[in-house]
């Protein structure tokens, strides 16, 4: 179908009938866009009477256009907002001063079922046939808002738990470490070995406490992401977790992502550190290291962009998920090794959720583990 604004041959003249037909096509075309758009559009007059409603209102509010036109706007408002709405409209008509931002404001609305939904609304004022008209473009963001609220609730619960862990466990742990140091000074022989084992267990407890606190911190929602270089952040993370027995490569220019740079680095530190820790002990990795001699890479880790441009991945050529319950990888406290705390991948998923991303685990193209982070705005 050709565009209503398709160009004519150069030099041709437009007859009045052609101009009128073109204007009609333009109006019909844009009316069709408005009527069939995915967002609900409503227009009201100074009395808050609905003058226009597009077809999307039925999907968003449960009311078709014919059920809304001629009705008051309060039809789709929770009752507790009726008085405030009338007062705000009257004040604006009297003073022309806005009491709230008209662009991308989030407000509740009432569905025909009686349930409340959350809307993202942009208002605009214009004149039609000499009358003041107010139009709003309204998008249903109920699911997004509920996801954010659920994440906030989970984070609050986790922070409360982390506070209990920090207060009730850290202080006695430090006291135990102090007592152990005194006992070691007086001990000898096999007793020293036993005390060393106890010290190692206390260190392990301290690691668990630190991971719980980290998980609580990293799960907070991201308010103002910034565009950061994925490669630069990955290289900074590698400085913290990389070893001489591992190499990091970039499969393609990873580009930039909209993220909290500090938390993205924490995510990559956990993913890269996981690859180093589990990949370096695999038989294929050991075989490569033996073949290369001292200093040869035991595991190779790659960071790159997903083919569909929707995110990025971290992959290694280690043993993959052998002996691991893949369905439990992101569970708090689950680890595929005795030395792990079971919080590293929980932190990864928590950071991903805080950004609105999704992280999944799968097998790499050439074997090994591959973690894909999708829903990312990558450029």
């Amino acid at each position: 179908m050709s565009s209503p604004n398709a160009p004519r041959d150069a030099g041709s003249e437009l007859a009045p009938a052609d101009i009128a037909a073109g204007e009609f096509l333009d109006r019909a075309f844009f009316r069709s866009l408005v009527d069939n758009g995915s967002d609900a559009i409503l227009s009201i007059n100074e009395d808050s009477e609905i003058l226009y409603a597009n077809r999307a209102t039925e999907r968003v509010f449960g009311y078709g256009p014919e059920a809304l036109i001629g009705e008051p706007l309060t039809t789709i408002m929770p009752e507790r907002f009726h008085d405030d709405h009338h007062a705000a409209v009257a004040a604006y008509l009297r003073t022309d001063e806005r009491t709230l931002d008209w662009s991308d404001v989030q407000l509740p609305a009432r569905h025909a079922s009686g349930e409340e939904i959350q809307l993202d609304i942009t208002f605009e004022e214009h004149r039609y046939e000499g009358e003041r008209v107010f139009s709003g473009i309204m998008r249903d963001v109920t699911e997004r808002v509920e996801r954010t609220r659920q994440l906030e609730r989970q984070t609050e619960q986790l922070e409360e738990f982390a506070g209990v862990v920090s207060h009730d466990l850290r202080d006695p742990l430090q006291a135990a470490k102090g007592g152990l140091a005194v006992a070691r000074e007086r001990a000898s022989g096999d007793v020293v070995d036993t005390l060393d084992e106890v010290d190692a267990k206390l260190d392990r407890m301290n690691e668990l406490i630190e991971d719980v606190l980290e998980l609580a911190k990293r799960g907070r929602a991201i308010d103002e992401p910034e565009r950061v270089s994925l490669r630069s952040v990955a290289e900074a993370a590698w400085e913290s977790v990389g070893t001489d027995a591992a190499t990091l490569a970039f499969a393609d220019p990873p580009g930039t992502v909209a993220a909290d740079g500090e938390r993205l680095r924490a995510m990559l530190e956990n993913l890269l550190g996981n690859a180093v820790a589990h990949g370096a002990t695999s038989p294929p990795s050991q075989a490569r290291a033996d073949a290369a001699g001292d200093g040869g890479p035991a595991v190779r880790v790659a960071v790159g962009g997903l083919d569909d441009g929707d995110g990025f991945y971290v992959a290694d050529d280690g043993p993959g998920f052998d002996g691991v319950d893949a369905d439990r990888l992101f569970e708090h406290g689950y680890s595929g090794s005795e030395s792990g705390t079971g919080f590293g991948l929980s932190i990864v998923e928590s950071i991903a959720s805080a950004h609105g991303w999704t992280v999944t685990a799968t097998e790499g193209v050439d074997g090994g583990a591959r973690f894909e982070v999708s829903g990312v705005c990558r450029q």
Side-chain angles (χ1 to χ4, degrees), residues 228-241:
V228 295
S229 165
L230 182 58
R231 177 168 187 149
S232 297
V233 177
E235 288 174 339
W238 187 252
E239 291 179 2
S240 300
V241 301

Side-chain angles (χ1 to χ4, degrees), residues 230-231 249-255 302-307 309 311-313 370 378:
L230 182 58
R231 177 168 187 149
F250 295 92
D252 53 48
V303 176
L306 298 180
D307 291 339
F312 61 91
Y313 68 85
R370 176 180 169 111
R378 186 170 66 90

Side-chain angles (χ1 to χ4, degrees), residues 45 56 93-94 100 145 153 158 181 198 207 215 228 234-235 327 344 363:
N45 60 17
L93 293 175
R94 186 174 63 254
L100 54 78
V145 171
R153 287 194 297 268
L158 191 57
V198 173
E207 289 178 9
L215 184 61
V228 295
E235 288 174 339
D327 293 334
E363 185 176 340

Side-chain angles (χ1 to χ4, degrees), residues 50-65:
I50 298 174
L51 304 176
Y52 170 78
N54 70 347
R55 294 177 185 175
T57 56
E58 186 163 8
R59 179 181 58 80
V60 175
F61 300 107
Y63 295 103

Side-chain angles (χ1 to χ4, degrees), residues 118-137:
Q118 296 295 321
L119 299 179
D120 190 85
I121 310 174
T122 295
F123 300 100
E124 193 54 69
E125 178 184 359
H126 55 99
R127 287 194 170 269
Y128 181 73
E129 296 182 350
E131 300 293 331
R132 297 175 80 171
V133 175
F134 303 90
S135 296
I137 301 175

Side-chain angles (χ1 to χ4, degrees), residues 210-283:
E210 292 297 332
D211 280 347
V212 170
L213 294 173
E214 180 75 4
L215 184 61
K217 176 183 177 183
R218 301 301 180 184
R220 299 189 187 103
I222 306 298
D223 294 325
E224 296 182 0
E226 297 179 350
R227 192 149 291 281
V228 295
S229 165
L230 182 58
R231 177 168 187 149
S232 297
V233 177
E235 288 174 339
W238 187 252
E239 291 179 2
S240 300
V241 301
T243 68
D244 293 338
T247 60
L248 174 66
F250 295 92
D252 53 48
T256 63
V257 297
D260 180 299
E262 180 184 348
R263 279 191 259 184
L264 176 60
R265 175 171 175 170
M267 169 189 273
L268 290 172
E269 284 176 349
N270 278 284
L271 289 175
L272 297 172
N274 185 75
V276 171
H278 295 284
T281 58
S282 70

Side-chain angles (χ1 to χ4, degrees), residues 151 215 218-220 345-355:
L151 180 60
L215 184 61
R218 301 301 180 184
R220 299 189 187 103
L345 292 180
S346 292
I347 292 172
V348 168
E349 185 177 50
S350 182
I351 294 173
S353 296
H355 283 85

Side-chain angles (χ1 to χ4, degrees), residues 29-266:
F29 177 72
F30 288 111
R31 178 63 181 260
S32 176
L33 284 180
V34 171
D35 280 345
N36 297 287
S38 59
D39 294 335
I41 299 178
L42 291 174
S43 296
I44 63 172
N45 60 17
E46 295 182 18
D47 297 322
S48 291
E49 177 188 353
I50 298 174
L51 304 176
Y52 170 78
N54 70 347
R55 294 177 185 175
T57 56
E58 186 163 8
R59 179 181 58 80
V60 175
F61 300 107
Y63 295 103
E66 66 284 351
L68 287 176
I69 294 174
E71 296 296 322
L73 186 62
T74 50
T75 302
I76 57 170
M77 282 186 185
E79 187 174 351
R80 65 184 184 277
F81 292 106
H82 289 191
D83 291 342
D84 289 342
H85 167 72
H86 290 305
V89 170
Y92 176 72
L93 293 175
R94 186 174 63 254
T95 65
D96 282 337
E97 293 182 2
R98 301 182 181 185
T99 58
L100 54 78
D101 188 355
W102 285 21
S103 179
D104 293 326
V105 61
Q106 198 170 105
L107 293 171
R110 190 180 72 85
H111 191 270
S113 64
E115 296 181 358
E116 282 198 13
I117 58 176
Q118 296 295 321
L119 299 179
D120 190 85
I121 310 174
T122 295
F123 300 100
E124 193 54 69
E125 178 184 359
H126 55 99
R127 287 194 170 269
Y128 181 73
E129 296 182 350
E131 300 293 331
R132 297 175 80 171
V133 175
F134 303 90
S135 296
I137 301 175
M138 308 174 185
R139 175 168 297 178
D140 186 352
V141 294
T142 305
E143 290 185 4
R144 186 184 74 192
V145 171
E146 183 54 36
R147 283 197 302 271
T148 301
R149 288 175 178 172
Q150 183 178 8
L151 180 60
E152 289 174 348
R153 287 194 297 268
Q154 291 174 342
T155 301
E156 288 175 2
Q157 293 171 354
L158 191 57
E159 287 179 342
E160 288 180 11
F161 173 66
V164 171
V165 169
S166 177
H167 181 270
D168 291 355
L169 293 183
R170 182 171 280 170
D171 290 347
L173 182 62
Q174 293 304 318
K177 293 279 285 186
L180 186 65
V182 173
R184 184 183 280 113
E185 292 177 356
R186 301 173 181 174
S188 61
D190 294 341
V191 176
V192 174
D193 294 336
T194 301
L195 293 177
D196 286 343
E197 292 177 5
V198 173
D199 193 27
K201 287 180 170 58
L202 292 176
D203 286 340
R204 167 104 171 136
M205 288 180 63
N206 190 61
E207 289 178 9
L208 286 169
I209 292 172
E210 292 297 332
D211 280 347
V212 170
L213 294 173
E214 180 75 4
L215 184 61
K217 176 183 177 183
R218 301 301 180 184
R220 299 189 187 103
I222 306 298
D223 294 325
E224 296 182 0
E226 297 179 350
R227 192 149 291 281
V228 295
S229 165
L230 182 58
R231 177 168 187 149
S232 297
V233 177
E235 288 174 339
W238 187 252
E239 291 179 2
S240 300
V241 301
T243 68
D244 293 338
T247 60
L248 174 66
F250 295 92
D252 53 48
T256 63
V257 297
D260 180 299
E262 180 184 348
R263 279 191 259 184
L264 176 60
R265 175 171 175 170

